[in-house]
Amino acid sequence: MGNGAEDAGPPVGSSPPPPLEWKFSQVFGERAAGEEVQEVDIISAIEFDKSGDHLATGDRGGRVVLFERTDVRNLGSRKDLEAQDYPISRHPEFRYKTEFQSHEPEFDYLKSLEIEEKINKIKWCQAANHVLFLLSTNDKTIKYWKVQEKKVKKISEMNVDASQAVQNDNIASSSTISPRGYLPNGGCPERPHGQLNNDLSMPPGGFPSLRLPVVVTSQETSLIARCRRTYAHAHDYHINSISNNSDGETFISADDLRINLWNLEISNQSFNIVDVKPANMEDLTEVITSAEFHPTHCNMLAYSSSKGSIRLIDLRQSALCDNHSKMFEEHEAPGSRSFFTEIIASISDVKFAKDGRHILSRDYMTLKLWDINMESGPVATFQVHEYLRPKLCDLYENDSIFDKFDCCLSGDGLHVATGSYSNLFRVFGCIPGSNEATTLEASKNPMRRQVQTPSRPAKSLGSFARVVRRGAESPGVEANGNSYDFTTKLLHLAWHPTESSIACAAMNSLYMYSA
Amino acid sequence: MATIDEPLYPIAILIDELKNEDIQLRLNSIRRLSTIARALGEERTRKELIPFLSENNDDDDEVLLAMAEELGVFIPYVGGVEHAHVLLPPLETLCTVEETCVRDKAVESLCRIGAQMKESDLVDWFVPLVKRLAAGEWFTARVSSCGLFHVAYPSSPDQLKAELRSIYAQMCQDDTPMVRRAAASNLGKFAATIEQHHLKTDIMSMFEDLTQDDQDSVRLLAVEGCAALGKLLEPQDCIASILPVIVNFSQDKSWRVRYMVANQLYELCEAVGPEATRADLMPAYVRLLRDNEAEVRIAAAGKVTKFCRILSPQLAIQHILPCVKELSTDSSQHVRSALASVIMGMAPILGKDATIEQLLPIFLSLLKDEFPDVRLNIISKLDQVNQVIGIDLLSQSLLPAIVELAEDRHWRVRLAIIEYIPLLASQLGVGFFDDKLGALCMQWLEDKVFSIREAAATNLKRLAEEFGPEWAMQHIVPEVLEKINNPHYLYRMTVLRAISLLAPVMGADITCQKLLPVVIASSKDRVPNIKFNVAKVLQSLISVLDQSVVDKTIRPCLVELSEDPDVDVRYFAGQALQACDQVMMSS
């Protein structure tokens, strides 16, 4: 996979690289013992930008928090940075950058529906001039944000504030001038522009007494987030994913039954490209659960369904892409069906690997890695929490079985990760031959609950085309005395695009780990 | 601190507000930048205002957009064309901002300024600016640069020209698709300024790069440039280099690309001449007419008449007509609709015989289409067929189509057909109209939807204009007036509306004898809405009728209404009485 020498997996048969040694790196918003978590603070989305220099989280309270990387300082231009060729000795470190309220709770009066402010997804867009752009969405409305650093400016000299000149220093402490600049009550005595009549004859040399405001720029900066566009009223159902296109001008938004295509510049129209709504809603058997654009081919996108299939569509084929060009599906072994089979088959997240050749999907019990050239089944399946299989009935009773876990791939495509219960998450190596399967806990001591990876290696590693099952937990976990806590689930996590570093959310806290 | 004289106070505030915290005030100041410049004088505008604007370029996008626009017409305020270059620095910064509309406006303003600058100034100031932008670190600057080459190029010396061409070639291969798109969409403009021999080599190789781009969005724009580029080249060069590309594109994997081809093909036909059109473009066009994607067929179908016009009738009949026949039964209603809106134009091209033999069956089948838009599109262009074959052949099938549309359950469809009735009436003639359509026109007056009743009234007026007052007196007026006895007041109101519209066409006599009595009688209606509408109608009749009638009949009626218990009736009666008085005063 991949194009560079580094990306390519080692030749089959060679010994796999040593497993990653994970270490705790940082935590933001750590909970004190016994502290109660506010519902609105629970993190509901995590996303790194393309360069890995920024990280964004969204929460149930509709806020978006941005973090920036501190260990690589891009003081110079981007090109300088590339030229410098940093020795990558340190793990990425982040610091809080800014936050803003992206969505507010709303009420749809026509449908008598409450619209939560919870951020479902965040996606970074192409940055320009050191200005950051991102898309955030709740169930119904997508917003395009521009986050910009502005130099703090002071206005020191004006035409009409001679009498109050003394005040200037304390007036203009913000980036803007206070209206007190010329009138104590904050307004102008009259708006005389209308009377700015033409009978005032302008001398050819101008009026020497007029002056322009003098602006003093300080080194201080302030970050300002502005909503530049709002893409609303295009979804009848809840938006589950957004994804931007490699062409840099379009993005998609997907809800349960439809996928719409937008131009970033145009917020009042979108094109419906996939519509799986049956004529009669009683015939509904399958919904869209997640959708993503191909990382480099602007015409391709993948979407997953509640039945466990992934469809690849080609936007070039037709305007309405109801016919997929490829469908990835694993046919279940006959006889293994149970009441839960269909429920746990539902895919909660799909991600393309950076190389665009592989797709990672997460269903309730497993992570599956698919090769775009093989539709009949995944090239690898990783059991996430097989020990829960006997408990499916309980999980169904308390609705946990419907939890939607994210999945992610490392930048080199050699590792995959996803979350589980009890604040655990798992990292798997996906080179054939690797049986790396690590369990980490989102806490300052991630290896606390580490259980031994089974020594049973996957059979016949010879080809990608064979399904490899590994990482099955030994059933002894519960014997450790740890009972599983279904309320502390680790749903959201993201892998740094270039480094071995994972950010994951445990309730309201953001934990970062590096290897 | 300066003390400001009283008369300068407004300008002083205007200047201060360039930095106000309220964005509306800043916008206002920027919009009046020319006033500020005149108050400062040319020299201080150059030395202070422009640098001030250059430094304060981190304002909100709305303000920057306004600034970019104002600066485009600022040459007079900086001291004329010889100082125009001082305007370049602030616009250069605006060319690099993140917001697309600001950049576009800045580019537009730069082009406008550049067009007025002296050649030497362009070389000294404008060309370096373009080069700086093209070498910009962020894609935003490079995108903007693409739109400026065509201004910089013509006045540059040869060596610089070569450099500009090679920079543009780099833009066509930039890493960011945004830049390549900008290069693709500006290629035609740039090519128009380039010498013929470079056109064939440099520009064509850039064009080739763009047409092979793997981003659909870039290739799309390359197609758009095809026709423009084709027109610049000699026909034989166009055939050699553009034609293969377009033929290739017409079979592109992406329907969007093929859609673009379908839209552009006709323009290209003009560039390559009739021979190549027949040999190469016609097969491509036929393929597009049979494309898998409905959107492509819609685009192609919409051009069918234009395309046939460049072909010989014989070829059109032989190759295009079979496709048209297929399209008339296309599974997509939008395709049929697009076809219906242009197909009538083919009649004059094909001539009478072919039209009757080949086109007529297609017209007829489209007239029976299940989708109302298709039928409407045919009917709206009826006059074109009439010129070739006469209406007789069509009238038999026309009538059922019209009746069906007239009774369509969607009121917008009914509205559309009403609007075509006068056209139909003029094409079909009085005789046909009386037999078949007269009843429909009356029926619409009693439609459930107000817009239809309103349109029906207007329709009667247009018919009266078309066929004359005498005909109207015979066929329209009696039936309309009869409806005043309708038990529902809304329908009675429609009659009043029709009367006020018909009166000016019918003239004073008929109005006085036939229409006025009905109106006067209605002033005794029990519904106030009718009564105040009577007042309104009477007001409109004043100008039609003689003064004596106004005094004898209208005024007493209005006086009575002005004492009505209902406030609205009194109000409109009062208004009408005032109008009476005015007419009397003026006469």
Side-chain angles (χ1 to χ4, degrees), chain B residues 430-502:
Chain B
V430 178
F432 185 86
F433 184 86
D434 287 347
D435 288 351
K436 321 276 182 186
L437 296 182
L440 279 178
C441 294
M442 289 303 145
Q443 184 185 320
W444 283 319
L445 281 176
E446 290 176 347
D447 200 278
K448 282 199 204 74
V449 176
F450 169 77
S451 297
I452 300 295
R453 299 196 299 272
E454 169 86 5
T458 314
N459 176 45
L460 292 182
K461 178 191 124 189
R462 290 170 66 189
L463 287 174
E465 283 168 351
E466 177 74 36
F467 295 144
E470 235 165 83
W471 174 88
M473 189 53 229
Q474 240 178 8
H475 294 91
I476 298 182
V477 173
E479 287 183 64
V480 171
L481 296 184
E482 210 169 280
K483 291 190 195 294
I484 200 71
N485 299 319
N486 194 302
H488 200 305
Y489 83 98
L490 285 175
Y491 298 124
R492 299 201 293 279
M493 227 144 78
T494 312
V495 177
L496 290 176
R497 173 83 187 135
I499 290 176
S500 77
L501 287 168
L502 282 170

Side-chain angles (χ1 to χ4, degrees), chain A residues 175-402:
Chain A
S175 64
T176 48
I177 19 153
S178 152
R180 278 188 298 151
Y182 33 89
L183 254 202
N185 63 5
C188 296
E190 68 253 29
R191 293 263 129 249
H193 309 318
Q195 300 135 25
L196 193 64
N197 38 27
N198 294 328
D199 41 279
L200 179 68
S201 66
M202 306 274 189
F207 299 104
S209 59
L210 290 171
R211 61 173 76 224
L212 289 164
V214 176
V215 180
V216 185
T217 310
S218 76
Q219 280 312 302
E220 254 178 281
T221 57
S222 67
L223 275 165
I224 297 167
R226 283 189 73 191
C227 178
R228 295 303 298 152
R229 266 173 273 280
T230 303
Y231 314 89
H233 312 302
H235 285 279
D236 284 338
Y237 305 91
H238 288 180
I239 299 176
N240 54 45
S241 24
I242 46 178
S243 171
N244 26 19
N245 193 345
S246 57
D247 68 7
E249 70 172 353
T250 54
F251 72 94
I252 48 164
S253 56
D255 68 21
D256 296 341
L257 297 178
R258 298 193 178 100
I259 301 178
N260 292 334
L261 178 70
W262 302 82
N263 187 310
L264 277 168
E265 302 276 329
I266 301 164
S267 57
N268 60 1
Q269 75 175 357
S270 69
F271 295 95
N272 179 239
I273 49 174
V274 175
D275 187 348
V276 299
K277 189 178 176 183
N280 181 358
M281 277 299 261
E282 280 171 18
D283 300 335
L284 183 69
T285 56
E286 191 173 20
V287 297
I288 300 169
T289 53
S290 173
E292 195 179 51
F293 261 121
H294 189 279
T296 51
H297 296 319
C298 65
N299 54 294
M300 266 212 268
L301 68 92
Y303 72 89
S304 62
S305 84
S306 56
K307 273 190 167 171
S309 57
I310 302 168
R311 289 176 176 83
L312 196 67
I313 59 175
D314 185 347
L315 295 178
R316 294 181 300 189
Q317 262 171 7
S318 125
L320 235 184
C321 300
D322 287 341
N323 297 317
H324 53 265
S325 45
K326 284 187 177 190
M327 177 152 137
F328 304 90
E329 204 172 19
E330 186 171 31
H331 296 283
E332 54 185 277
S336 66
R337 278 193 70 86
S338 75
F339 173 71
F340 302 111
T341 309
E342 262 192 34
I343 302 176
I344 61 171
S346 177
I347 294 178
S348 52
D349 195 19
V350 273
K351 292 270 161 65
F352 271 101
K354 226 185 196 175
D355 59 11
R357 163 107 186 254
H358 292 89
I359 299 176
L360 182 69
S361 71
R362 168 72 206 259
D363 54 43
Y364 192 63
M365 297 303 284
T366 66
L367 265 182
K368 293 192 172 89
L369 188 69
W370 307 77
D371 186 322
I372 247 177
N373 298 325
M374 191 173 90
E375 292 171 66
S376 57
V379 287
T381 301
F382 310 97
Q383 313 291 347
V384 179
H385 38 215
E386 199 56 23
Y387 47 84
L388 290 179
R389 202 172 279 278
K391 295 182 169 295
L392 285 175
C393 207
D394 299 342
L395 291 161
Y396 180 74
E397 297 269 301
N398 65 16
D399 277 352
S400 295
I401 204 166
F402 300 107

Side-chain angles (χ1 to χ4, degrees), chain A residues 78 129 146 150 159-160 177 182 191 193 206-207 210 226 228-229 247 265 298 315-316 318-319, chain B residues 9 16-17 19-21 28 39 44 58 60-61 96 98-100 137-138 181 215-216 255 293:
Chain A
R78 222 173 219 211
N129 302 343
K146 172 177 176 180
K150 283 202 172 175
N159 284 306
V160 199
I177 19 153
Y182 33 89
R191 293 263 129 249
H193 309 318
F207 299 104
L210 290 171
R226 283 189 73 191
R228 295 303 298 152
R229 266 173 273 280
D247 68 7
E265 302 276 329
C298 65
L315 295 178
R316 294 181 300 189
S318 125
Chain B
Y9 193 73
D16 286 351
E17 282 176 355
K19 286 276 123 193
N20 195 289
E21 71 177 20
N28 178 58
R44 288 186 66 200
D58 64 343
D60 289 331
D61 299 324
T96 65
E98 314 79 53
E99 195 64 27
T100 315
E137 180 194 348
W138 294 93
R181 278 201 292 273
Q215 282 275 344
D216 273 4
W255 69 269
E293 173 57 41

Side-chain angles (χ1 to χ4, degrees), chain A residues 72-90:
Chain A
V72 185
R73 270 332 300 155
N74 36 355
L75 295 168
S77 72
R78 222 173 219 211
K79 280 175 185 158
D80 292 344
L81 199 74
E82 280 161 14
Q84 268 176 322
D85 192 13
Y86 261 84
I88 308 161
S89 55
R90 301 189 54 194

